[in-house]
Amino acid sequence: MYEELVNGIVDLKKDLVLKIVTDLSKKGDDPLKILEECRNGMTIVGDRFQKGDYYLAELLLSGEIFKQAMIILEPFLSKEREQEKAGTVVLATLKGDIHDLGKNILGYLLKAQGFEIHDLGVDVLPELVIQKVKEVKPDFVGFSALITPVFEKMKEAEEMLKNEDLRDGFKLMIGGGVTNDDTREYVGADFQTIDAMAGVAYCMKIAKGE
Ligand code: B12
């Protein structure tokens, strides 16, 4: 069934994908596994786009399918629990980048673990991040990036936060398919990953003071 799910995304068969996601969720399969397979499908779509086999229309449609699959999965990911607030997180995709699927997943997963999320959305000016950090004094700031030119904006935001004497108040995380450890170093972030669950584990570890 998972192979069918991946192929469904690659072939942009929306109804089929949503049916499989619904069936697997109801059956009690791990929502993170379902999510991971959807992401594998998106990676193949991206490769086809890069090779010129797919155009922007296909990219858009795949994003739409993924978004709707997330709507089905969300209740399974963030089962409401009575719990103490684990910490505060500000999330953003910075100016020049409108990809938001990965950032949204991280937000859902952190919320499920009791973190308070302030998601500023996509195409966000660094100035807005500064304003939010001053307002909510977060424990974590997370930037998501899916296109490489945005690394510059992440670096700019980090420098602005430093100049405003805000940088010591939180851990800066970056993520998104195109980031790696060199990006982390370039941006001056504390943590980098291309796996939202690793991001959640990092936040939980720091929140517990480990
Ligand atoms: C869907 C998609 C789109 C959709 C986005 C829809 C949406 N609402 O997000 C649309 C059609 C809008 C789009 C547009 C474009 N796209 Co696009 N897109 C993709 C695609 C196929 C999938 C991305 C995705 O959502 N993956 C699924 C998510 C779940 O994965 P993820 O983001 O990596 O997130 C996971 C982790 O990284 C982590 N995570 C993510 N963020 C964060 C943050 C933190 C703090 C942490 C801890 C963790 C974390 O959590 C997630 C779950 O584990 C990729 C291909 C690829 N290989 O990634 C191309 C890709 C990213 N796009 C690309 C390009 C070039 C574009 C366009 C410029 C195309 C164009 N010519 O116009 C535009 C960009 C417009 C802009 N200014 O942003 C390139 C980028 C190349 C580069 N290196 O810069 C890619 C890589 C395709 C390719 N191979 O060429 N795209």
Side-chain angles (χ1 to χ4, degrees):
M1 204 138 179
Y2 281 105
E3 200 182 326
E4 220 183 331
L5 176 60
V6 174
N7 290 339
I9 292 195
V10 175
D11 296 334
L12 308 166
K13 292 184 178 159
K14 182 169 143 192
D15 294 349
L16 176 72
V17 169
L18 299 185
K19 185 180 180 315
I20 296 174
V21 170
T22 305
D23 291 348
L24 290 171
S25 311
K26 283 193 180 152
K27 198 162 80 91
D29 273 29
D30 180 358
L32 290 174
K33 160 89 178 142
I34 305 173
L35 203 64
E36 194 47 39
E37 295 298 341
C38 289
R39 184 166 181 261
N40 289 339
M42 298 295 278
T43 305
I44 301 173
V45 171
D47 292 345
R48 290 199 180 178
F49 174 75
Q50 206 166 20
K51 280 192 210 136
D53 296 336
Y54 271 0
Y55 298 98
L56 198 57
E58 281 89 1
L59 215 55
L60 260 171
L61 187 53
S62 70
E64 205 42 54
I65 296 173
F66 194 93
K67 225 172 207 169
Q68 295 191 21
M70 272 306 298
I71 293 172
I72 298 169
L73 284 172
E74 217 254 51
F76 297 92
L77 284 169
S78 47
K79 290 216 175 81
E80 288 297 326
R81 284 185 232 163
E82 284 288 323
Q83 54 190 348
E84 264 180 52
K85 192 171 104 179
T88 303
V89 186
V90 170
L91 294 178
T93 299
L94 295 180
K95 190 77 195 155
D97 191 348
I98 59 164
H99 296 85
D100 66 354
L101 303 175
K103 170 181 64 59
N104 296 348
I105 292 171
L106 179 71
Y108 290 135
L109 294 175
L110 284 172
K111 212 163 114 193
Q113 295 301 329
F115 288 87
E116 181 182 303
I117 306 300
H118 297 269
D119 188 342
L120 302 178
V122 298
D123 203 32
V124 173
L125 283 169
E127 287 79 358
L128 191 61
V129 178
I130 312 287
Q131 192 186 318
K132 202 66 188 175
V133 168
K134 282 183 180 164
E135 183 194 327
V136 303
K137 300 184 176 52
D139 305 291
F140 302 93
V141 172
F143 294 146
S144 183
L146 264 296
I147 52 173
T148 36
V150 169
F151 294 173
E152 205 50 50
K153 278 280 168 243
M154 295 200 287
K155 187 180 165 73
E156 194 184 313
E158 200 269 346
E159 280 169 1
M160 284 169 75
L161 286 158
K162 231 188 241 155
N163 293 339
E164 295 269 346
D165 274 336
L166 296 166
R167 183 64 183 87
D168 292 338
F170 59 85
K171 294 286 184 194
L172 178 62
M173 313 181 281
I174 63 164
V178 297
T179 64
N180 59 30
D181 196 55
D182 290 342
T183 324
R184 184 196 59 71
E185 211 177 319
Y186 178 71
V187 168
D190 301 298
F191 177 77
Q192 177 278 332
T193 181
I194 55 161
D195 171 7
M197 273 317 286
V200 174
Y202 174 74
C203 291
M204 289 177 71
K205 197 175 112 195
I206 300 284
K208 282 184 195 147
E210 287 169 15

